[in-house]
């Protein structure tokens, strides 16, 4: 079985400070990892993904994530947070048994950037 | 390029009724998945369709069903609604490669009273 853990329900950070949203995963084989963001009453927006190659991946809106195979982690980062980054963030792993393409999501982390 | 379109956006139903939700994927995407989002359970996988065939199903009762049409549009149906079915139902479409990201619609907010 594949799973994703987001150990922090809530992360608060001051505007202009760096932010980190944590994610660890458990999967057999090589993982395909994704980060999504959700604003109130909206669907999920794709931020970035790790498939293979460079462990540091860059995505939308200045976000990046670092893949660490030994620690089975895929933490989301941003050098300088904006108030508009306040939202709910989800880490996900692509689960494919056979031909299935479902995503398994973490429980989500509410990020609040304080002005 | 149009995104994933879900209709309706909001729905209020009474216990015991049934409901049908619709999803139009991004043009060219043939894989469509459905998820249920609730505050208590988070995002849970319902089912996935590809080329009109259900490829995978999550751990939901048989009251939850779906289908996909030849144009890749998908519907999900919930029969005999219960209060606990109140949730945001999200549809996602993607290309048929595991490395590609899924694109989500804005969801249908279902309230069962």
């Amino acid at each position: 079985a594949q799973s994703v853990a987001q150990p922090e329900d809530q992360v608060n950070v001051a505007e202009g400070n760096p932010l980190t949203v944590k994610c660890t995963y458990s999967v057999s084989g090589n993982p395909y990892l994704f980060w999504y963001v959700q604003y109130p009453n909206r669907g999920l927006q794709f931020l970035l993904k790790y498939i293979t190659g460079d462990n540091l991946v860059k995505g939308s809106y200045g976000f990046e994530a670092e893949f660490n195979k030994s620690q089975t982690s895929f933490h989301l980062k941003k050098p300088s947070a904006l108030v508009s980054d306040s939202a709910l963030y989800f880490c996900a792993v692509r689960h494919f048994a056979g031909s299935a393409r479902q995503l398994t999501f973490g429980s989500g982390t509410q990020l609040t950037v304080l002005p | 390029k149009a995104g994933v379109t879900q209709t309706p956006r909001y729905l209020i139903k009474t216990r015991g009724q049934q409901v049908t939700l619709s999803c139009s994927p991004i043009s060219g995407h043939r894989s469509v998945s459905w998820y249920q989002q609730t505050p208590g359970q988070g995002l849970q996988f319902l089912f996935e369709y590809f080329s009109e065939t259900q490829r995978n199903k999550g751990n939901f009762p048989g009251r939850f069903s779906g289908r996909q049409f030849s144009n890749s549009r998908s519907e999900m149906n919930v029969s005999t609604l219960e209060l606990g079915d109140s949730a945001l139902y999200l549809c996602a479409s993607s290309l048929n490669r595991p490395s590609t990201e899924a694109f989500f619609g804005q969801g249908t907010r279902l309230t069962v009273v």
Side-chain angles (χ1 to χ4, degrees):
Chain A
Q2 307 191 0
S3 64
V4 176
Q6 293 181 243
E8 300 159 319
D9 292 337
Q10 175 83 40
V11 170
N12 296 326
V13 64
E15 187 175 28
N17 283 2
L19 70 86
T20 299
V21 182
K22 296 179 181 178
C23 170
T24 59
Y25 65 90
S26 173
V27 64
S28 56
N30 294 322
Y32 294 152
L33 295 160
F34 304 82
W35 274 102
Y36 286 86
V37 60
Q38 185 178 35
Y39 296 96
N41 297 313
R42 303 294 296 272
L44 275 65
Q45 294 180 30
F46 168 75
L47 280 178
L48 50 78
K49 65 182 178 183
Y50 172 81
I51 303 302
T52 187
D54 194 352
N55 289 343
L56 184 65
V57 294
K58 295 187 183 297
S60 307
Y61 313 117
F63 284 94
E64 57 189 30
E66 186 169 9
F67 172 70
N68 187 316
K69 189 172 184 178
S70 63
Q71 296 185 4
T72 61
S73 67
F74 188 54
H75 300 332
L76 181 69
K77 300 181 179 184
K78 188 174 182 181
S80 179
L82 300 173
V83 171
S84 57
D85 292 330
S86 298
L88 186 57
Y89 290 81
F90 290 97
C91 181
V93 62
R94 174 58 59 65
H95 173 127
F96 57 105
S99 59
R101 295 289 179 264
Q102 70 187 81
L103 289 163
T104 299
F105 286 90
S107 55
T109 298
Q110 181 67 49
L111 172 68
T112 300
V113 181
L114 306 167
Chain B
K1 198 173 191 181
V4 178
T5 303
Q6 290 188 246
T7 57
R9 287 292 312 279
Y10 301 93
L11 210 48
I12 300 175
K13 290 287 187 179
T14 305
R15 274 182 302 172
Q17 286 186 312
Q18 74 166 20
V19 67
T20 300
L21 311 181
S22 179
C23 172
S24 293
I26 291 172
S27 178
H29 287 189
R30 292 162 62 195
S31 174
V32 174
S33 298
W34 290 87
Y35 296 84
Q36 181 197 63
Q37 185 178 20
T38 58
Q41 299 298 318
L43 279 157
Q44 293 189 287
F45 170 73
L46 280 158
F47 23 65
E48 183 210 354
Y49 288 88
F50 177 77
S51 292
E52 302 178 66
T53 301
Q54 186 180 91
R55 274 206 295 212
N56 201 7
K57 190 177 192 304
N59 189 26
F60 279 82
R63 301 184 296 107
F64 291 81
S65 63
R67 58 178 175 169
Q68 186 180 34
F69 302 95
S70 58
N71 62 357
S72 294
R73 190 177 70 84
S74 177
E75 289 181 348
M76 67 164 282
N77 184 77
V78 188
S79 62
T80 319
L81 284 166
E82 301 177 359
L83 295 179
D85 297 334
S86 295
L88 181 65
Y89 290 88
L90 293 166
C91 168
S93 76
S94 65
L95 296 171
N96 191 36
R97 290 195 298 272
S99 60
T100 59
E101 57 271 28
F103 293 87
F104 284 78
Q106 296 199 64
T108 294
R109 171 74 63 185
L110 172 65
T111 302
V112 182
V113 297

